[in-house]
């Protein structure tokens, strides 16, 4: 049991150091010191720094997938009773706003994912898989689900039948910039949530059919 705990501490400390300094600039000795062990003790759990990186990447991938699946289930559940609402556009704005604020909370308030995102920002120019992770955070986690949702709302005659890719970009792109800003300034959190609500409401006023 102690081995598992130490392994988790190594991964957690390594993720913090990697997200602050980058992978290449972080040594095994620094990771070991942050955990409170000597480097040889660390090698009992991981054969190399690369193995630590691989473990972190796997955990990040699993966390993102779990978040995406949860959000998609919530959206599908909301849409199943969508037709019972009198003002469908207003209800859609509420649903989309809540979904995007949930994404915001997952990306910013989840400490593990927040550090993982900073790491992918730092390393996306050095490692292909971190570049892929950085893209997936926005495309799989924001762009693609939003595009699918807007398409369904068009089919239900809630939104105008306009260029879907452009509409998705107009909805999501300002939020990507907002998320990045909040990662470096957490005091903007409440303002960011308010902005998401106002942004989504305006979007639906413009595209309401």
């Amino acid at each position: 049991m102690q081995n598992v705990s130490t392994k988790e501490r190594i991964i957690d400390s390594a993720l913090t150091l990697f997200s602050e300094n980058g992978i290449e600039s972080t040594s095994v000795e620094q990771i070991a010191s942050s955990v409170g062990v000597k480097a040889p003790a660390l090698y009992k759990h991981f054969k190399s720094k690369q193995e630590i990186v691989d473990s972190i990447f796997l955990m990040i991938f699993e966390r993102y997938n779990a978040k995406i699946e949860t959000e998609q289930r919530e959206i599908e559940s909301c849409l199943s009773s969508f037709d019972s609402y009198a003002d469908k556009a207003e209800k859609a704005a509420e649903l989309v706003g809540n979904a995007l604020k949930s994404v915001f909370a997952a990306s910013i308030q989840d400490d593990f994912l927040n550090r993982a995102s900073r790491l992918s920002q730092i390393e996306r120019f050095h490692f292909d898989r971190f570049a892929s992770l950085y893209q997936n955070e926005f495309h799989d986690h924001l762009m693609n689900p939003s595009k699918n949702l807007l398409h369904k709302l068009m089919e239900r005659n809630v939104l105008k039948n306009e260029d879907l890719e452009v509409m998705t970009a107009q909805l999501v792109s300002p939020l990507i910039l907002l998320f990045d800003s909040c990662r470096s300034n957490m005091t903007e959190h409440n303002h960011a949530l308010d902005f998401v609500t106002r942004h989504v409401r305006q979007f639906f006023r413009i595209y309401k059919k």
Side-chain angles (χ1 to χ4, degrees):
M1 192 69 178
Q2 179 64 30
N3 288 345
V4 174
S5 176
T6 301
K7 232 177 155 175
E8 290 174 349
R9 287 167 54 211
I10 291 170
I11 289 175
D12 187 70
S13 295
L15 176 58
T16 297
L17 290 170
F18 290 159
S19 68
E20 292 173 353
N21 308 317
I23 294 172
E24 293 296 331
S25 298
T26 301
S27 67
V28 170
E29 288 74 18
Q30 287 174 313
I31 297 171
S33 176
S34 69
V35 177
V37 300
K38 300 293 184 182
L42 185 146
Y43 285 118
K44 293 179 182 179
H45 304 281
F46 296 96
K47 295 178 181 178
S48 64
K49 183 169 73 170
Q50 184 59 52
E51 191 170 295
I52 298 175
V53 173
D54 292 341
S55 297
I56 288 174
F57 188 83
L58 180 61
M59 289 180 66
I60 294 171
F61 186 76
E62 290 174 346
R63 284 275 189 111
Y64 272 127
N65 277 351
K67 292 287 185 183
I68 292 168
E69 289 174 4
T70 298
E71 288 156 14
Q72 288 176 337
R73 284 197 301 270
E74 290 175 354
I75 290 172
E76 290 298 328
S77 175
C78 291
L79 286 176
S80 65
S81 60
F82 184 73
D83 291 331
S84 63
Y85 296 100
D87 190 333
K88 293 181 176 58
E90 181 179 342
K91 187 60 182 178
E94 178 186 339
L95 293 178
V96 174
N98 288 341
L100 289 172
K101 283 188 282 189
S102 175
V103 172
F104 173 84
S107 300
I108 303 300
Q109 295 176 315
D110 185 314
D111 181 58
F112 182 90
L113 289 180
N114 196 7
R115 285 179 291 157
S117 181
R118 290 203 304 270
L119 174 59
S120 68
Q121 286 179 301
I122 292 173
E123 298 295 356
R124 69 186 191 273
F125 300 113
H126 305 113
F127 298 95
D128 288 343
R129 61 180 176 171
F130 280 105
S132 176
L133 179 66
Y134 183 77
Q135 287 297 107
N136 288 346
E137 179 185 5
F138 297 129
H139 287 276
D140 291 344
H141 201 44
L142 276 175
M143 294 294 286
N144 291 341
S146 297
K147 184 177 179 179
N148 292 336
L149 180 58
L150 294 181
H151 183 254
K152 290 178 180 179
L153 293 175
M154 282 184 187
E155 291 180 328
R156 292 168 185 254
N157 293 317
V158 176
L159 296 177
K160 298 175 183 176
N161 189 19
E162 299 287 350
D163 188 312
L164 183 58
E165 289 189 6
V166 172
M167 287 175 65
T168 305
Q170 289 173 335
L171 176 65
V172 173
S173 295
L175 302 181
I176 292 174
L177 294 175
L178 180 70
F179 292 174
D180 277 347
S181 174
C182 285
R183 285 191 177 102
S184 59
N185 184 4
M186 291 297 291
T187 60
E188 294 184 8
H189 174 258
N190 290 332
H191 169 72
L193 291 177
D194 178 62
F195 176 83
V196 172
T197 298
R198 291 185 289 114
H199 172 62
V200 171
R201 285 177 179 169
Q202 179 167 299
F203 177 89
F204 274 85
R205 283 198 300 270
I206 293 172
Y207 283 110
K208 178 180 178 179
K209 194 163 185 178

